[in-house]
Amino acid sequence: MSWGTELWDQYDQLHVHTQKGIEFLEKYGHFVDARTKIEQEYASKLRRLARNYLPKKKEEDDYQFTATKAFKLMLNEINDLAGQHEVIAENLSTAVVSDLTTLVKSMKDDRRKFLQEGARLQAQLTLSLTTLAKTKEKYEKAFGASERAQDAYNKADADLNLSRADVEKQRMTSNIKRQQMDDSKNEYANQLQKTNELQKLYYTKLMPAVFQSLQDMDEKRVKCIQNFMRKSAQTEQDVLP
């Protein structure tokens, strides 16, 4: 599915969707970071536990029996387990947390850039439509004024009681109003053409390009979160027996 063609009128929804997507990516990064700290803390406590119960040199003779030897081996295993969790914490930190943090920042910057471009295009079209409405209103007023001036001239020209100067004055006023009407008509026609061209470009190329950029970014986010989850699981599988 192409966002630019099938979701062209869902700009606000895509704004929210991409925001939530990045927020989830960031949330997962915080989760892995918190887990890394827990793994480190767990490893530290395991080492301290093993160290506290390992026999001192003066106690070595007491650890010659089967049960005490087994206990000593258990403590060594716990120490090894602590090392494994330290490796998990280190690998999660370097292979997942660090890359996730960089990715989140990059996607936030990209999203902001794409949305700013979309807002700029929307503002540009809105300005063009506003200008068109104003030029249309100006033309309609000029058209009405020209019609009234022409009627006034026609009445003056037919009135035998008016002097030639008064009739000429009405004629000149009519000509001026007609010229103003023609000018505003041309201005309106030019703005109508510009606005139509911009609208066509806006809906067929400019905004679809923004939507496509947002879609590419979101699809990349989905693939990355899948990859980071696999890395998290694989990190543990590679270390723990």
Side-chain angles (χ1 to χ4, degrees):
M1 179 178 67
S2 172
W3 290 8
T5 55
E6 298 181 47
L7 301 178
W8 62 271
D9 59 343
Q10 302 294 314
Y11 184 79
D12 291 340
Q13 286 77 359
L14 294 179
H15 183 286
V16 173
H17 172 76
T18 51
Q19 174 66 29
K20 288 184 176 179
I22 294 177
E23 285 176 354
F24 176 73
L25 186 67
E26 188 171 29
K27 183 177 182 179
Y28 183 71
H30 292 160
F31 162 76
V32 179
D33 186 51
R35 185 192 167 182
T36 297
K37 290 179 171 62
I38 290 173
E39 292 283 356
Q40 291 170 335
E41 182 182 359
Y42 181 49
S44 176
K45 288 183 176 180
L46 284 178
R47 285 200 183 280
R48 185 162 62 250
L49 176 67
R51 185 169 59 251
N52 289 341
Y53 283 89
L54 276 173
K56 307 295 187 292
K57 224 171 187 183
K58 61 182 180 180
E59 300 173 331
E60 287 290 339
D61 292 341
D62 297 333
Y63 279 76
Q64 303 302 316
F65 301 100
T66 302
T68 53
K69 285 181 179 180
F71 179 56
K72 187 177 180 181
L73 288 174
M74 182 188 298
L75 294 175
N76 289 333
E77 287 292 331
I78 289 176
N79 204 44
D80 291 341
L81 182 62
Q84 292 168 359
H85 284 280
E86 286 172 345
V87 172
I88 290 174
E90 178 64 25
N91 290 347
L92 285 175
S93 179
T94 56
V96 178
V97 176
S98 178
D99 290 347
L100 252 173
T101 302
T102 301
L103 179 64
V104 167
K105 183 181 183 308
S106 173
M107 286 197 165
K108 282 183 177 181
D109 291 342
D110 287 344
R111 178 178 176 275
R112 186 182 304 110
K113 179 180 67 177
F114 300 146
L115 292 179
Q116 285 175 345
E117 175 63 9
R120 185 189 70 80
L121 293 173
Q122 285 182 327
Q124 185 181 38
L125 180 59
T126 299
L127 177 61
S128 185
L129 290 169
T130 301
T131 303
L132 177 63
K134 288 180 179 179
T135 56
K136 180 182 179 181
E137 182 181 4
K138 181 181 178 182
Y139 164 62
E140 289 174 343
K141 287 181 178 179
F143 179 80
S146 177
E147 289 288 293
R148 290 190 295 273
Q150 183 64 41
D151 288 343
Y153 167 64
N154 290 338
K155 289 179 181 178
D157 190 42
D159 190 345
L160 299 177
N161 295 319
L162 290 178
S163 66
R164 183 181 297 274
D166 289 335
V167 174
E168 181 63 18
K169 181 179 179 181
Q170 291 293 339
R171 187 186 70 79
M172 290 181 63
T173 299
S174 177
N175 288 341
I176 292 172
K177 294 298 183 182
R178 185 183 301 110
Q179 183 61 50
Q180 291 175 343
M181 185 268 291
D182 288 339
D183 291 343
S184 61
K185 181 180 179 180
N186 290 333
E187 183 182 0
Y188 172 53
N190 289 334
Q191 185 60 40
L192 180 61
Q193 182 179 0
K194 289 179 181 179
T195 301
N196 286 340
E197 290 175 352
L198 179 59
Q199 275 188 315
K200 181 180 179 181
L201 197 61
Y202 177 89
Y203 287 112
T204 60
K205 289 185 178 180
L206 299 178
M207 282 306 288
V210 172
F211 280 29
Q212 187 61 52
S213 296
L214 288 169
Q215 183 175 4
D216 291 343
M217 181 197 72
D218 195 63
E219 289 175 350
K220 177 183 176 182
R221 176 192 63 79
V222 172
K223 290 178 182 177
C224 285
I225 192 68
Q226 291 173 346
N227 185 46
F228 283 127
M229 286 183 173
R230 289 194 195 98
K231 276 187 177 181
S232 298
Q234 192 62 46
T235 294
E236 187 171 356
Q237 291 175 4
D238 289 343
V239 174
L240 296 179

